[in-house]
């Protein structure tokens, strides 16, 4: 494959019939911005031939009050097997919404110890732009392949761990939300949450990492934005753990595959009154 976490539409076209390759559609839209099931509806209207649909709101810890939290390894493995994905598969994830939530699903597989997973650079738009066809019928999934989780606990952070990081500055905290929300001058889209950021964190809006063509910006641009973290531990956060994974993906493109994601992100942090909140005028 490649040292990059990305593959091109052209590469996918050349390799899509490989027997060990599995393609996953992870299209997802925030509930506060789009109708319910918008991602699944996008998949149903047309997807890359053979792709199965990964719903981050269903393959999640649905007992949590927080949105799309990482499920335990038992549930993840069970759901993945039902999608026909298992050990020995090369996985390519894509979406129709500028890495929402293909980067998240890529990170989920890596957290579960599966290294042979990649993201289609530019997503569905790149596939169609390269002449790729779509189908609107779900594929016939052949199960039976076992998925063995090898959980990397270092790739996920809890609120308690983030409290320690905020107090000690032991590793950079990179926040992917828009600058207005990060600085506390624009409202959060989730009702009841104050805006602002975890003390000591740095704002790297995920939109700055994505070009107008829906692809990750080039390495030179990534180096300017993220170069200080290319070879050191870092933690990415956002509103609910989705766009944070775009930062993790971008740093992997620079060679750092060990970036953790704060799964609860701002939704969890700001829901606890005891957690300190910093704003631009602090």
């Amino acid at each position: 494959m490649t040292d990059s976490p990305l593959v091109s539409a052209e590469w996918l076209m050349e390799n899509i019939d490989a027997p060990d390759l599995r393609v996953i559609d992870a299209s997802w839209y925030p509930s506060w911005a789009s109708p319910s099931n918008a991602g699944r509806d996008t998949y149903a209207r047309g997807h890359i031939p053979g792709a199965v649909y990964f719903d981050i709101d269903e393959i999640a810890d649905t007992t949590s009050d927080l949105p799309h939290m990482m499920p335990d390894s038992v549930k993840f493995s069970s759901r993945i097997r039902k999608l026909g994905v298992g050990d020995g598969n090369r996985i390519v994830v894509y979406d129709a919404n500028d890495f929402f939530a293909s980067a998240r699903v890529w990170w989920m597989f890596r957290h579960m110890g599966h290294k042979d997973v990649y993201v289609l650079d530019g997503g569905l738009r790149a596939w169609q732009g390269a002449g790729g066809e779509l189908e609107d019928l779900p594929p016939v999934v052949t199960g039976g392949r076992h998925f063995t989780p090898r959980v990397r606990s270092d790739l996920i952070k809890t609120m308690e761990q983030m409290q320690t990081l905020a107090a000690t500055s032991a590793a950079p905290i990179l926040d992917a939300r828009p600058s207005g929300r990060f600085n506390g001058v624009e409202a959060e889209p989730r009702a009841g949450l104050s805006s602002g950021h975890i003390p000591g964190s740095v704002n790297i809006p995920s939109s700055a990492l994505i070009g107008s063509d829906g692809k990750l910006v080039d390495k030179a641009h990534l180096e300017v934005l993220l170069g200080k973290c290319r070879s050191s531990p870092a933690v990415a956060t956002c509103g609910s753990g989705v766009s944070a994974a775009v930062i993790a993906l971008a740093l992997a493109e620079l060679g750092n595959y060990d970036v953790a994601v704060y799964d609860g992100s701002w939704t969890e942090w700001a829901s606890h009154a005891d957690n300190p909140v910093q704003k631009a005028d602090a």
Side-chain angles (χ1 to χ4, degrees), residues 11 25 37 42 102-103 191 199 208-209 225 231 255 261:
W11 183 94
D25 186 317
N37 291 324
T42 297
S102 55
L209 304 174
L225 295 171
S231 59
V261 168

Side-chain angles (χ1 to χ4, degrees), residues 55-73:
D55 185 346
I56 66 167
D57 288 323
E58 195 279 325
I59 304 179
D61 178 5
T62 51
T63 66
S64 174
D65 293 334
L66 298 168
H68 40 254
M69 291 286 282
M70 188 75 201
D72 63 28
S73 59

Side-chain angles (χ1 to χ4, degrees), residues 107 152-157 162 165 169-175 201-202 204 225-237 244-245 247-252 256-262:
W107 167 79
R152 286 194 57 182
S153 58
D154 61 311
L155 292 186
I156 192 168
K157 297 298 181 185
M162 296 304 294
L165 279 179
S169 301
I173 302 172
L174 310 177
D175 192 317
S201 57
V202 176
I204 307 289
L225 295 171
L226 295 168
K228 292 181 179 179
C229 299
R230 69 177 304 169
S231 59
S232 61
V235 180
T237 184
I247 292 178
L249 181 71
L251 275 166
N256 185 354
Y257 276 85
D258 298 323
V259 177
V261 168
Y262 172 25

